[in-house]
Amino acid sequence: MNGDATGRVGAGVTLGLLAAWAVHDAEEVATGPRWIRARLPELKERFPQLPDGVWRTLESVDEREFALAVAGMAVLVAAASADGYRTGGRSAFYRAALDGFGLHGLVHLGQAAAVRGYTPGSVTSALVVVPFTLWARARLRRSLPERPARVRESVLGLALAGASVAGAHAVARRLTGRSAGRRPGRR
């Protein structure tokens, strides 16, 4: 059951966030670092306005760091989903994570549009992330007293997602003994 008369939503809405995230990040883990390495020269040529630091950081991410960053995000998404489940969907943490997840999916679709092709995460963004978020938000609106979505809350959700990803990568770099912008083997 995904909603009831008590003003709570069920596990499909709350714990479903973790399941949808796992499907999405499986695509990213399977394709991310390899895709970046293969496309980096083309991307640098196509988007020369981006600072060199962006390219150095992207170039430095390997499969191990990426997998550790995903594991770090798993902890955050699991905590948000569990808090959503515990509160029947009322948790501000859960809602911010849900909004950030959905907006993150739109960013992936924007990236795919910018490169005019596939980018890691774009397939599951279109098929899982955005549809799940819209469905979950609709269930929340039907089951809980809900005020209209505010731009400020959406921006905060996206900021939470961005900060979480950056933090997860920073922790992963530290755990792997690497620093941003440095390739493996360089000191």
Side-chain angles (χ1 to χ4, degrees), residues 149-164:
R150 296 187 176 129
V151 172
R152 179 178 175 266
E153 291 168 348
S154 295
V155 169
L156 287 173
L158 189 55
L160 172 67
S164 298

Side-chain angles (χ1 to χ4, degrees), residues 94-146:
Y94 162 74
R95 288 173 179 234
L98 177 65
D99 290 345
F101 180 62
L103 292 169
H104 164 80
L106 294 177
V107 168
H108 275 295
L109 296 177
Q111 290 169 336
V115 302
R116 296 184 195 105
Y118 176 79
T119 58
S122 61
V123 170
T124 53
S125 287
L127 299 177
V128 177
V129 176
V130 173
F132 172 79
T133 302
L134 292 173
W135 174 81
R137 293 297 293 166
R139 290 292 183 168
L140 287 165
R141 275 191 304 280
R142 271 187 291 215
S143 299
L144 302 171
E146 181 105 354

Side-chain angles (χ1 to χ4, degrees), residues 3-187:
D4 62 28
T6 65
R8 296 175 61 83
V9 294
V13 174
T14 56
L15 299 179
L17 172 61
L18 180 58
W21 174 87
V23 169
H24 173 66
D25 269 42
E27 177 192 2
E28 290 184 322
V29 167
T31 61
R34 185 181 63 237
W35 184 92
I36 291 168
R37 277 193 307 277
R39 301 286 302 268
L40 203 58
E42 173 192 339
L43 294 171
K44 282 181 182 179
E45 187 175 307
R46 193 154 173 205
F47 302 102
Q49 68 276 22
L50 290 175
D52 287 340
V54 169
W55 303 121
R56 281 192 303 274
T57 298
L58 284 172
E59 190 175 50
S60 74
V61 175
D62 66 7
E63 283 80 358
R64 189 169 148 223
E65 177 187 325
F66 197 84
L68 282 170
V70 167
M73 285 301 298
V75 172
L76 290 172
V77 175
S81 296
D83 199 40
Y85 182 74
R86 180 185 62 79
T87 63
R90 295 178 185 277
S91 162
F93 178 37
Y94 162 74
R95 288 173 179 234
L98 177 65
D99 290 345
F101 180 62
L103 292 169
H104 164 80
L106 294 177
V107 168
H108 275 295
L109 296 177
Q111 290 169 336
V115 302
R116 296 184 195 105
Y118 176 79
T119 58
S122 61
V123 170
T124 53
S125 287
L127 299 177
V128 177
V129 176
V130 173
F132 172 79
T133 302
L134 292 173
W135 174 81
R137 293 297 293 166
R139 290 292 183 168
L140 287 165
R141 275 191 304 280
R142 271 187 291 215
S143 299
L144 302 171
E146 181 105 354
R147 62 188 189 292
R150 296 187 176 129
V151 172
R152 179 178 175 266
E153 291 168 348
S154 295
V155 169
L156 287 173
L158 189 55
L160 172 67
S164 298
V165 169
H169 275 279
V171 169
R173 275 191 298 276
R174 180 122 174 128
L175 290 173
T176 59
R178 304 168 72 228
S179 64
R182 193 176 72 208
R183 283 185 153 160
R186 282 196 210 165
R187 293 270 177 218

